Every structure is written in C-alpha cells, then in structure tokens.
Amino acid sequence: MPGEGLSANQRAMDYGDGTVDVLYGSRGGLSTARAEAWSQNTLEGRPRYYDRFGSALAAGDFNGDGRDDLAIGVPGERAVQVLAGSAGGGLTRKGNLLIKGEGSDFGAALAALPRGGRFRTLERGEAWEQRGGSPQGLVVAAPGQGLVLYVPGSRAPGLRLGRVREIAKGTGLYGYALG
C-alpha cells in the first residue's frame, strides 16, 4: 500500500537519492539491450537521501539539434539536470546542464512545451529547420511556493537554456503536476 508506515508529515516521494533508468523502443517494443541508468553519481554529483533525483522527467529537443534531451527533476537540490541527446542515439553526460532555481522544491514537476505557440521565443529559419527546427522550452514547477516557471530553449551550440522566468503563481500546491 503506497504511503503505509509514513507519518502524517511524510510523503513517499519526499525521500531517496534516485536513479533514472532509460529504456529505448524499437519496432518490436521496449528493449533493455541499450538501457541506461543515470544517477547523480554518474553525473559527477553528490547524491543525498533527500535529493529525489528523477522525481520528475520531461523529454524534448531543448537545444534544437533534432535530438531529444532529457530534463530530470532534483527538487531536493532545487535543481533540474538536463542530459543532451547524442548523435548515435541515446543520452550523453557530455555538456550536461544543471539549472538551479528558487524555492525549496524547484524541479518537482516538469513539462516540455511543444514547438510554436505562446512561449516560443526563438525565430525559425531555413538553416535552423534543416537541423531540426526551433528548440522546445521547459516548464518547471516549485509547488511548495506555488510557482510555475518557464525556461526557453536556446539555439546556441551545445546544451544551453535561456533565463528562468515566472509564468504563473498560485496557492496551495499549485504546479504539483504538469502535463
């Protein structure tokens, strides 16, 4: 039973240093042949029991190179770790990015914004389209503070994101879940 044995002041996701396991699909379905396991140890971080590495995930092309990147919430460190997609498929720690934020639980919920729409800040160009189109933005929540923030993608080479800015604020656990 989820939550069994926890006191009234504890929640099951509040504890644990975390690992993210990535399985890749094929025409035949999911396969463990190329599975990857990511943790703060593999990313030169220092895991602590309360970091909650991997408590939220969002995949998207955040740098516009045509390959999906992976954003990993680390709300215990008030951070989001972003891994770049590699040319050969999969993810790489080369050039990974750590986004630090405000609030005690920044990174507790994540979502990738689709290309286009209200928050697209980068222009599309012919040369850019040939490399995969404009980058996607990342939405990050800090629900303990009721904050939902936007981090625009960047067209700069490598994995770089724009300046974090607030897009909404609410009461309670506003932003606890994003979709």
Side-chain angles (χ1 to χ4, degrees):
M1 177 96 188
E4 189 173 338
L6 297 179
S7 75
N9 294 324
Q10 294 175 317
R11 294 184 310 217
M13 285 299 296
D14 282 346
Y15 302 95
D17 45 343
T19 299
V20 173
D21 294 304
V22 179
L23 301 177
Y24 294 97
S26 67
R27 288 188 176 112
L30 290 177
S31 170
T32 58
R34 292 184 44 227
E36 299 171 347
W38 298 94
S39 72
Q40 288 177 299
N41 286 326
T42 60
L43 297 170
E44 300 177 19
R46 191 174 138 235
R48 290 179 287 274
Y49 191 60
Y50 55 84
D51 285 345
R52 296 168 34 214
F53 179 88
S55 63
L57 302 170
D61 183 8
F62 302 120
N63 59 359
D65 64 0
R67 299 183 288 262
D68 278 342
D69 310 308
L70 181 64
I72 303 169
V74 194
E77 283 194 6
R78 296 184 297 270
V80 174
Q81 182 82 51
V82 184
L83 299 175
S86 68
L91 300 168
T92 178
R93 71 173 145 226
K94 182 179 177 186
N96 75 77
L97 179 66
L98 185 67
I99 305 167
K100 296 295 259 181
E102 299 295 320
S104 62
D105 55 357
F106 177 87
L110 302 172
L113 283 178
R115 289 183 179 88
R118 177 177 167 201
F119 292 104
R120 185 175 59 104
T121 59
L122 301 169
E123 306 262 343
R124 294 179 137 195
E126 187 176 319
W128 196 247
E129 287 294 322
Q130 292 170 0
R131 287 190 20 218
S134 60
Q136 293 177 260
L138 177 65
V139 178
V140 181
Q145 288 70 47
L147 291 174
V148 176
L149 307 132
Y150 173 62
V151 185
S154 172
R155 293 192 301 186
L159 192 54
R160 295 179 193 9
L161 296 176
R163 182 179 61 84
V164 177
R165 58 183 183 241
E166 183 180 313
I167 57 172
K169 188 170 187 163
T171 58
L173 292 174
Y174 185 78
Y176 186 76
L178 301 172

